[in-house]
Amino acid sequence: MDRMSGKVAVITGGARGQGRAHAVRLAAEGAEIAITDACAQYPDVPYPMGTVDELAETVAAVEALGRRCLSFKADARDPAAMRAVMADTVAELGHIDTVVINHGITIPHTVEGPEAEDAIWDLIIDTNLSGVWRTARAAVPHLRDNGGSITVTASSAALTGLFNQAAYVSAKWGLIGMVKTLAAELAHYWIRANAVCPCAVATPLFLNPHHVRAFCGDDPTKTIEDMEWPATSLNLLPVPWIEPEAVASAVLYLASEEAKYVTGIALPVDAGTSIQPPGITPFVGTRLWELQQQVPSLGA
Ligand SMILES: NC(=O)c1ccc[n+]([C@@H]2O[C@H](COP(=O)([O-])OP(=O)(O)OC[C@H]3O[C@@H](n4cnc5c(N)ncnc54)[C@H](O)[C@@H]3O)[C@@H](O)[C@H]2O)c1
C-alpha cells in the first residue's frame, strides 16, 4: 500500500476513465496527485468528453483515500497551460516524480473520406501525439533534479492497424517512438519513459453507440451488450474489454521503484490481442464447436 509513498504524480485526462483509475490507484499506494483534463467537447468527437463535474469526482475519490489532489482544467495541446500545471503542482506539492500522459480522443474517419475530414486527422494528431509531447516537455524540467518517470498511454492500436482509425493508430504508433527517444535522451537524469498499450477498455471512449455501430452494423436496436461477442473475438483471453483498473496496475508498476530499470518499453495490457495468431481464436473456436453441437449439420 505504499509503493508510491512520498511521490507526486501528474495525470492528464484525469476526469474519468483510465485517468481516474490511475489517480485512485497511485493515491492508494501513497502518492499525492495532480489531475488535468481539457473538460471541453471537441468538434467531431462522437461521444461526450470529460467534464468539470467528473474532474471534481476524481478529486473526491482521491481525497477519500486521505491524499491531496490538485485539479486543473487544462488542455494538453497548450504548452503554456501544461507548463503552468507543472509549476503550480511543484509550488503546491513540492516536486513531481511521475507523469502519466493518458488523455486521448478517437473519431472515425477513412482514407477515402471527404477532404473536410482532414480536420479530424489534425485534431487527433494534435491531441494524441503533439499534446503528449508538449506535456512531456513541460514536465521534464521538474523531473530532472530527482529523476522520475513518464508513462504514456498508447494502445494495442500502436502494435497493429485498425479500420477507420488512421490518425488514432498513427498517433499511437508515434507515441512508441516518442517514449523510446525520451528514454534515450533522459536516462542520464534517471528519468524513465515507457508506454502502456491497452486493448479495448470499459470507458466512454470505447463503450459508446459509435462503437456499437462499428461492431454490430447500422442496426439501431443493437446495444453495448451486442458488442461483447465480436469484441471478445479480438482477444486471446475470453473477455470483450478490460477494466480501467487493470491498466492502472501496469501504470503503477511502471511508476514504482519495482520498475527502476525499466525504460523505453511498450507494455501491452491487452488480453493477448496484439499477439493473436492469424486464424480462429480459442474463444471463437469454442463458440463454433458449441454451435456445431447444437446444429450438427454445421460440422458436416
Ligand atoms: N478505452 C479504450 O478502449 C482505449 C484503448 C486503448 C487506449 N486507450 C487510450 O487510453 C487513454 C484514456 O482514454 P479512456 O479510455 O480513459 O477514455 P475517456 O474518454 O474516458 O478519457 C479520456 C479523457 O481525456 C480527456 N482529454 C481529451 N483530450 C484532452 C486534452 N487535449 N487535454 C486534456 N484532456 C483531454 C477527455 O476529456 C477525457 O476525460 C487515451 O489515450 C486513449 O486513447 C483507450
Side-chain angles (χ1 to χ4, degrees), residues 11-22 36-42 45 47-51 54-55 72-78 82 101-106 123 126-128 131-132 135 152-158 168 172 175 196-208 211 241-242 244 247 269:
I11 301 163
T12 69
R16 63 166 197 213
Q18 294 176 61
R20 180 180 293 174
H22 303 336
T36 77
D37 203 286
C39 300
Q41 190 62 41
Y42 294 169
V45 171
Y47 56 89
M49 292 173 62
T51 65
E54 289 173 318
L55 198 64
F72 302 91
K73 182 180 179 320
D75 194 313
R77 298 175 299 170
D78 177 350
M82 297 320 289
I101 314 179
N102 154 83
H103 70 273
I105 56 169
T106 177
L123 178 63
D126 209 23
T127 304
N128 292 7
V132 174
T135 306
V152 162
T153 306
S155 169
S156 53
Y168 186 86
K172 296 299 188 182
L175 293 180
V196 285
C197 297
C199 60
V201 186
T203 71
L205 180 147
F206 182 72
L207 295 182
N208 62 53
H211 278 113
W241 42 77
I242 62 175
V247 188
V269 184

Side-chain angles (χ1 to χ4, degrees), residues 15 38-39 63 72 117 123 143 154 170 203 232 234 244 289 291 293:
C39 300
E63 288 178 346
F72 302 91
E117 284 188 357
L123 178 63
L143 292 171
S170 302
T203 71
T232 303
L234 298 176
W289 185 84
L291 281 173
Q293 302 313 298

